[in-house]
Amino acid sequence: MEVILKSDPESLCRLAADMITDLMQRKPDAVLGLATGSTPLKLYAELIRRHREEGLDFSRVRTFNLDEYVGLGPDHPQSYASYMRNHFFSSVNVHPDSTHIPNGFTEDIPAECAAYEQAIQDAGGIDLQILGIGTDGHIGFNEPTSSLTSRTRIKTLTARTLADNARFFEQEADQPHHVITMGIGTILESRQAVLLAFGDSKADAIAQAVEGPLTASVPASALQLHPKAHVFVDEAAGSQLERQDYYRWVYDQKPR
Ligand code: F6R
């Protein structure tokens, strides 16, 4: 696991954007795994800037999002499909047919989940997966005690995640308690994974995920099994890491 600590989220998002740009230059039809929430907003803004100002071309890129709320159709303002359109897809030249988000409005959830896994396989697998982390250590919406080999399926959100995400909903009753999420096994099959975390509220989860034991109680700790996982944290999110000096030492010696 590579851990990079920097003072500001902006420079970490530029680093993540550099990784995506390099990948797209090597493989114009790259398969990106994408996340929603507050964390990747600056990354999407940077990718949009590179598209507009530097001609970064998404015309052949394929995308798969981690998750979607059960019961919210793609046009619902709080759906992750709306989020992705508003914050990224409508501002770059990705083909709408090449973007994939689980359909939370389906009547057959197991069939939707199996089809989502198949679509990822048919695309040749995910080249680079962007991840955020929940304050309870979730990745995707794999809440604590999720199987470390899980595939795309329905999950029930924890009370903590519901509270963390309540800010996106006008009324408590509007917030779905269930999601369709890629599994931990699905995420571990990505060829590279970049976990972004900013702010104090993520410090405990990051320390447990990176330096704690591998455990289903902290789903992000499963990234310890990933062959190419990068953890990009600002000072606040990295503040409880015991080996901060070592991570900085490694980064300073990295050939550039
Ligand atoms: C979102 C997702 C979640 C979020 C996590 C952090 O698609 O899968 O794991 O990344 O809940 O959310 P924010 O970034 O809002 O703190």
Side-chain angles (χ1 to χ4, degrees):
M1 212 184 251
E2 177 186 50
V3 181
I4 297 184
L5 283 134
K6 285 192 176 279
S7 55
D8 59 306
E10 287 77 8
S11 53
L12 293 161
C13 286
R14 279 198 298 276
L15 272 186
D18 288 347
M19 289 179 67
I20 293 175
T21 304
D22 287 351
L23 169 66
M24 285 169 60
Q25 278 161 359
R26 277 184 281 117
K27 185 177 177 188
D29 63 346
V31 180
L32 302 179
L34 300 177
T36 57
S38 304
T39 306
L41 287 172
K42 290 192 168 85
L43 168 62
Y44 295 142
E46 174 62 11
L47 291 172
I48 292 167
R49 189 197 66 72
R50 291 181 191 205
H51 169 67
R52 289 188 177 147
E53 296 175 15
E54 296 164 13
L56 186 62
D57 180 13
F58 290 84
S59 60
R60 294 179 57 201
V61 163
R62 282 115 4 114
T63 69
F64 287 88
N65 265 76
L66 284 164
D67 35 40
E68 180 59 284
Y69 284 114
V70 169
L72 302 192
D75 294 325
H76 190 286
Q78 263 68 49
S79 70
Y80 288 146
S82 291
Y83 169 106
M84 290 308 299
R85 274 196 309 278
N86 295 339
H87 294 294
F88 189 42
F89 295 154
S90 62
S91 302
V92 294
N93 64 334
V94 66
H95 197 286
D97 292 346
S98 303
T99 67
H100 303 84
I101 300 178
N103 175 12
F105 217 46
T106 179
E107 285 181 0
D108 188 344
I109 290 176
E112 170 65 20
C113 296
Y116 203 68
E117 286 282 333
Q118 190 58 52
I120 294 172
Q121 294 295 321
D122 293 347
I126 292 170
D127 290 307
L128 192 156
Q129 176 68 56
I130 298 296
L131 297 164
I133 187 169
T135 57
D136 64 1
H138 69 226
I139 45 172
F141 277 121
N142 295 286
E143 296 286 32
T145 70
S146 288
S147 158
L148 299 181
T149 60
S150 49
R151 314 302 307 191
T152 302
R153 70 215 181 292
I154 188 169
K155 281 298 288 181
T156 305
L157 297 174
T158 59
R160 185 161 175 185
T161 299
L162 288 171
D164 286 347
N165 288 349
R167 66 190 190 279
F168 296 113
F169 294 86
E170 271 178 27
Q171 297 180 52
E172 209 183 308
D174 297 341
Q175 190 177 10
H177 289 192
H178 296 95
V179 289
I180 293 176
T181 179
M182 277 187 205
I184 297 176
T186 321
I187 292 168
L188 290 181
E189 280 176 10
S190 58
R191 290 180 194 98
Q192 284 194 85
V194 179
L195 173 65
L196 299 168
F198 312 133
D200 290 335
S201 65
K202 304 293 173 72
D204 179 48
I206 284 292
Q208 290 194 58
V210 174
E211 295 176 342
L214 171 66
T215 168
S217 296
V218 183
S221 69
L223 293 174
Q224 295 174 20
L225 294 173
H226 194 291
K228 247 184 163 181
H230 311 264
V231 178
F232 292 180
V233 289
D234 67 2
E235 308 278 355
S239 60
Q240 290 183 34
L241 288 167
E242 282 179 9
R243 295 181 173 80
Q244 289 178 47
D245 290 348
Y246 175 65
Y247 307 136
R248 289 200 175 89
W249 164 251
V250 171
Y251 182 70
D252 288 345
Q253 295 182 72
K254 202 173 159 177
R256 293 194 178 79

